[in-house]
Amino acid sequence: DIVLFNRINKKLFLTKEGEELLVKAKEIDRDLNDFESLAKKEDLNPIIKIGATITFGAFLIPNYTIELSKQVPALIPKFVIDKPKDLEEKITDGTLDFAFEEGNISNKKIRTIKIGEDELIAICAPTFDVPEKLKLEELINYDLLLRESGNPSRRMLDYQLAIKGIKLGAPRLESVSNNVIISMAINGLGIGILPSAVARRAINNGFVRRIELDTPLKRNLYLICHKGKKFNKLTKKAFLIAQNILVKK
């Protein structure tokens, strides 16, 4: 056993081990005070780091930023737009507080909250020579304008075609940019497959038209964070706003 005190003439004196422990205790107390001060500083000027896929970044992040400024003006949001795989890595290593993502998420360290649904749709120029309705498998008879391989939208299309025993060949366009796909479609260069939220403005403005598909291409939209993530009062409110942003919209 370690002796921390010696009793001499009815008085207690620290042993060498006791003095060493006292030094350590003072260091811990100082560190706790520093941590408390840092926590208070973060509450006064908090920064929250939020991720999103390109799809979310285009149609949801602006609305979410406006809501944050209204409801939590003291919070400073910093956004990262990235691929799903990279977002999930940033969630697990703590670089991001939470993120918006679509499609299937299999990482067991990540908590997922479904916040809505989206649908992939087929679009083309109003004068493009294609019927108003197509079977999904008939898409391969046309020049296709698609997202890059591995993208959630692309994976869903590939999966649904695979169910029908069809392997998609090289499309006319593979792009990381939704805007490039829309531009190509507007100019009559093929059929684009995009999230409905992304294509909505071009459809409403009459730049493109929607082609009805016999197979719905619906997927879930998620808010994700690390399962062990702890939020303070302000960031928790931002997280709750994020859960309801599609309803608000």
Side-chain angles (χ1 to χ4, degrees):
D1 293 342
I2 298 175
V3 178
L4 301 179
F5 298 95
N6 285 323
R7 183 181 292 275
I8 302 173
N9 295 329
K10 296 183 180 181
K11 293 183 180 181
L12 293 176
F13 295 90
L14 286 171
T15 63
K16 181 180 179 181
E17 290 80 4
E19 290 176 349
E20 290 176 353
L21 183 61
L22 179 62
V23 171
K24 293 292 184 184
K26 288 180 178 179
E27 289 177 356
I28 292 172
D29 183 60
R30 185 172 62 251
D31 289 342
L32 286 173
N33 288 332
D34 289 345
F35 178 80
E36 223 173 81
S37 299
L38 180 61
K40 288 178 180 178
K41 184 178 180 181
E42 287 182 351
D43 283 338
L44 291 173
N45 189 27
I47 293 175
I48 188 166
K49 297 177 182 178
I50 304 163
T53 58
I54 293 175
T55 296
F56 269 115
F59 81 92
L60 186 143
I61 292 302
N63 295 325
Y64 178 62
T65 305
I66 291 170
E67 283 303 313
L68 277 183
S69 65
K70 289 179 181 177
Q71 298 189 44
V72 199
L75 206 56
I76 303 171
K78 303 290 184 180
F79 294 99
V80 174
I81 308 300
D82 215 332
K83 296 178 181 179
K85 181 181 178 182
D86 294 330
L87 290 177
E88 290 170 25
E89 288 179 359
K90 288 179 173 66
I91 288 290
T92 54
D93 69 17
T95 304
L96 294 175
D97 293 301
F98 59 83
F100 297 96
E101 188 176 326
E102 68 273 15
N104 296 320
I105 299 151
S106 58
N107 191 318
K108 294 181 180 179
K109 294 181 180 180
I110 291 179
R111 174 190 176 196
T112 61
I113 300 172
K114 181 182 175 182
I115 61 173
E117 290 183 347
D118 192 19
E119 182 179 11
L120 299 181
I121 61 172
I123 61 169
C124 66
T127 58
F128 192 76
D129 186 16
V130 63
E132 293 184 1
K133 296 182 180 181
L134 283 178
K135 292 182 179 180
L136 186 66
E137 57 266 33
E138 291 175 331
L139 283 174
I140 64 172
N141 298 324
Y142 298 88
D143 289 326
L144 295 180
L145 315 171
L146 306 177
R147 287 298 303 270
E148 76 282 7
S149 181
N151 173 269
S153 300
R154 178 65 178 276
R155 287 202 306 265
M156 171 169 280
L157 177 63
D158 290 344
Y159 174 74
Q160 290 296 336
L161 288 172
I163 290 175
K164 298 177 180 293
I166 300 171
K167 185 176 181 180
L168 186 64
R172 182 167 198 175
L173 172 73
E174 281 188 326
S175 175
V176 298
S177 169
N178 293 323
N179 289 334
V180 171
I181 293 173
I182 291 173
S183 179
M184 292 279 284
I186 288 173
N187 285 280
L189 298 174
I191 296 175
I193 307 295
L194 288 172
S196 58
V198 172
R200 185 179 298 126
R201 180 178 295 179
I203 293 172
N204 291 343
N205 289 334
F207 298 142
V208 296
R209 65 182 174 92
R210 178 174 178 174
I211 304 166
E212 296 295 333
L213 299 175
D214 69 331
T215 303
L217 299 175
K218 293 186 177 181
R219 75 275 183 79
N220 293 327
L221 305 178
Y222 294 102
L223 182 66
I224 66 173
C225 67
H226 195 287
K227 284 184 176 179
K229 181 66 180 178
K230 303 295 182 184
F231 296 104
N232 62 30
K233 186 177 180 180
L234 289 181
T235 54
K236 185 176 181 180
K237 188 170 183 180
F239 192 67
L240 292 173
I241 294 170
Q243 290 182 48
N244 296 287
I245 189 63
L246 289 177
V247 176
K248 180 76 176 178
K249 182 174 179 294

